[in-house]
Amino acid sequence: MEIIESTQNKRVKEWKKLLTRKGRRKQEKYLIESPHLVEEAIKFEADIEVIIVRKDKVEEYAFIYEQAYSDVLVVTKEISNSLSDSMSGQGILAVIKITEPAKTLTGDKPILLLDEVQDPGNLGTLIRTADAAGFEGVILGEGTVDLYNAKTLRSTQGSHFHISVLHGDIHKWIPFLSEKNIPIYGTALDERAISFRSIEPQERFGLIVGNEGNGVNASILKKTTENLYIPIKGQAESLNVAIAASILMFDIYR
Amino acid sequence: MEIIESTQNKRVKEWKKLLTRKGRRKQEKYLIESPHLVEEAIKFEADIEVIIVRKDKVEEYAFIYEQAYSDVLVVTKEISNSLSDSMSGQGILAVIKITEPAKTLTGDKPILLLDEVQDPGNLGTLIRTADAAGFEGVILGEGTVDLYNAKTLRSTQGSHFHISVLHGDIHKWIPFLSEKNIPIYGTALDERAISFRSIEPQERFGLIVGNEGNGVNASILKKTTENLYIPIKGQAESLNVAIAASILMFDIYR
């Protein structure tokens, strides 16, 4: 296996650019890190350009990279750390080509739509939970934080390899679902919203959750079938967006 | 108002020690940061030793600290930043005395018990959601991450001021609840667990969730009334612990 030892190596320099959104957009690639994410990428046939293994982990991770058809490069600890977002790099990374899913969503199973979700951890957790709940996919509306951010990817736990995650305009998805008679539920705290407990379980629906501070945009809430709220019994003012979405996903889709 | 300008000031040095668990244990105090948390501390009558305001925020935050009966000190940006855990310090902090709640829990409303939850963000979110769900309180079992960590406190959004959060031994809480005929639900993925959907809503119960990697300790799971799991439909291997607990809290207590 080829070993790269210089931090000035051309490929290393290109990989480092993937730590920024700009670099990812330009190269149309992103970095994943951790044995679990690399295993998921292989298992779910992501478009892996190269797997990068830290020198001291070549033996330990052989069972992972030997399953892949992609190139494997060995790097020094210094290089590995320079590509890692976290303090405790685990010594295995991969460069993945960004590809939007081949087929779009049908609405035959529930869809989660995100309106300006800002926190990477929330985005990743929303995708992971939508996967666990059996949703068909997730639409990232405009203004949503970057999917390929290291923190987002860590929180997905690989679920973005399992279900379709698309960028899209929520204003266009609403009529698409409506025409199929699929109900669309917004989430809101105003007086026109109804308790989620008054909704019957559904096989097909769209669920829209919004920005951590401002919720779902009013222009979107006007177009939904119904807007839901989660009754709060204690003295907390609100729920975290990923928590609220999870309660709704598991309650409405059983 | 007194202004502190030297980073070598004795009080500043003592406050800085509150950034570590050791320092907090020794002084029996902790730091909170952000206008929202300081407001919640005042509103819910936490034992505030002093409120610390950054020079340029004295006017902006007057409406907050003027409600408090505690001392207010003004500090430089340098001092304020040195006490802040986050990059974007908001210029208002408070030193709070650590006091265990005066009365213990009765079990008359549901109780959340945490077994070795390790991530500060998860702990804070669990407390916030237990508050929102109307729980009586939260028991932090041995091995649970520090409540007074800046990240934990940020995620609580002040809910630790609203409901009782106690340190305790889960092995002792189980018989306490059992004697009152209060069911105790563990969470597990093994074959002896049952789907949470088979449980009727309850007015009183204990819910135990566990460590991010290992779940609830087997020695605890043996002593519960029933162990629950959340059926996963997609290809995610598991749910985040705060997400799982939230789904269960809102489903079992309505």
Side-chain angles (χ1 to χ4, degrees), chain A residues 36 40 43-44 125 128-129 131-134 157 159 161-163 196-197 203 230-243 246-247 249-251 253-254, chain B residues 36 40 43-44 125 128-129 131-134 157 159 161-163 196-197 203 230-243 246-247 249-251 253-254:
Chain A
H36 179 68
E40 293 289 298
K43 195 168 154 197
F44 289 87
T125 303
R128 176 181 176 189
T129 312
D131 176 17
Q157 294 268 316
S159 282
F161 295 129
H162 306 161
I163 60 169
F196 78 103
R197 300 206 197 274
E203 287 299 310
I230 298 175
I232 288 183
K233 289 191 180 174
Q235 295 174 104
E237 283 168 20
S238 64
L239 289 164
N240 164 284
V241 61
I243 297 290
S246 303
I247 293 167
M249 288 193 275
F250 274 86
D251 189 77
Y253 189 52
R254 301 197 170 185
Chain B
H36 179 69
E40 292 290 297
K43 195 168 154 197
F44 289 87
T125 303
R128 176 181 175 189
T129 312
D131 176 14
Q157 295 268 315
S159 283
F161 294 129
H162 307 160
I163 59 170
F196 77 104
R197 300 206 196 273
E203 287 299 311
I230 297 176
I232 288 182
K233 287 192 181 174
Q235 294 174 105
E237 284 168 20
S238 63
L239 289 165
N240 164 284
V241 61
I243 297 290
S246 303
I247 293 167
M249 287 192 275
F250 274 86
D251 190 76
Y253 189 51
R254 300 196 170 186

